[in-house]
Amino acid sequence: MPLKYRDAVQNDLHKIVEIYNSTVASKMVTADTEPVSVDSKQKWFDEHKRDTRPLWVIENATKEIIGWVSFQSFYGRPAYNATVEISIYLAEQQRGKGLGKQILKHCMEQAPAFGVKTLLGFVFAHNEPSIKLFRNLGFEDWATLPNIALLDGQEKGLKILGKRIA
C-alpha cells in the first residue's frame, strides 16, 4: 500500500490523539493507563519541529490518516541531539498488515536529513510484535529495564532497542 507522510498540522492533533488512545486499553504500547485529551498533548505536539524533530501523519491512497510517527529528542541534553526516540502508532484497523515495517524503513531512510545518527525504540518487554518489528530491521537490544511499569497491577519491563543509521 502506498503511503504518504506529511507534517502534522494543528487540525491533525485530534486524529493523532484518537489513534494514540486506541492503544491504551491493550496495555501493550503506552504507559498511559487512561485515554489522554487533545489539550494534554498540545505541548508535546508543539515540541516537534519540521526540520529536526518531525511529527508526521501517515495517509493512505484516499488521504485518510491511518497513523502517525514521531521523532522525539532523547534525554533533552545537547550532547544527544543526534539521537531520537521513534514512535509509530497505527489506527486499530491498520495493525498487523506490515505497515509498521514500511513506516520504520521510511523513518530510517529520512532520519539523516534531520541530523539523526541513532534511532531508539522504547518498547514494553511483553510487546513481542513491536520487538520483532524493530529487530527485523536491525535494531538491537541495548537495555532492559525490568519491572518498571505497573499495568493493571502487574509489573512490566521496558526494552530499549537501538540502531546506528549514520
Side-chain angles (χ1 to χ4, degrees), residues 1 4 19 22 29 47 65 96 109 116 119 122 125 162:
M1 171 190 309
K4 179 183 177 196
I19 292 169
S22 75
V29 180
E47 288 170 351
I65 295 175
E109 292 166 359
V116 174
L119 289 174
F122 288 64

Side-chain angles (χ1 to χ4, degrees), residues 41 73 96 148 157-158:
K41 296 306 277 184
S73 293
I148 65 165
L158 179 75

Side-chain angles (χ1 to χ4, degrees), residues 4-42:
K4 179 183 177 196
Y5 303 81
R6 66 168 174 80
D7 291 312
V9 296
Q10 184 65 45
N11 287 343
D12 297 323
L13 185 54
H14 177 77
K15 186 67 175 179
I16 290 167
V17 169
E18 177 185 311
I19 292 169
Y20 181 84
N21 282 339
S22 75
T23 69
V24 172
S26 73
K27 307 292 192 251
M28 292 281 287
V29 180
T30 177
D32 280 310
T33 57
E34 299 291 332
V36 300
S37 69
V38 171
D39 287 344
S40 74
K41 296 306 277 184
Q42 187 65 55

Side-chain angles (χ1 to χ4, degrees), residues 133-152:
L133 166 66
F134 279 90
R135 285 181 180 158
N136 282 343
L137 289 175
F139 284 72
E140 299 173 333
D141 289 30
W142 283 2
T144 300
L145 307 173
N147 302 325
I148 65 165
L150 187 63
L151 298 170
D152 290 338

Side-chain angles (χ1 to χ4, degrees), residues 62-134:
T62 62
K63 297 192 179 198
E64 172 190 11
I65 295 175
I66 62 162
W68 57 269
V69 63
S70 163
F71 284 46
Q72 287 186 252
S73 293
F74 169 74
Y75 205 61
R77 305 286 195 284
Y80 298 113
N81 279 348
T83 301
V84 299
E85 175 188 354
I86 188 165
S87 299
I88 299 169
Y89 285 82
L90 290 169
E92 195 166 4
Q93 64 275 22
Q94 303 300 325
R95 298 176 199 148
K97 297 180 177 181
L99 296 175
K101 185 175 184 179
Q102 186 178 342
I103 294 164
L104 186 53
K105 279 183 177 180
H106 177 80
C107 293
M108 292 165 58
E109 292 166 359
Q110 299 301 312
F114 302 107
V116 174
K117 295 181 179 182
T118 304
L119 289 174
L120 300 174
F122 288 64
V123 181
F124 280 133
H126 63 283
N127 184 345
E128 286 299 324
S130 290
I131 291 170
K132 182 179 176 184
L133 166 66
F134 279 90

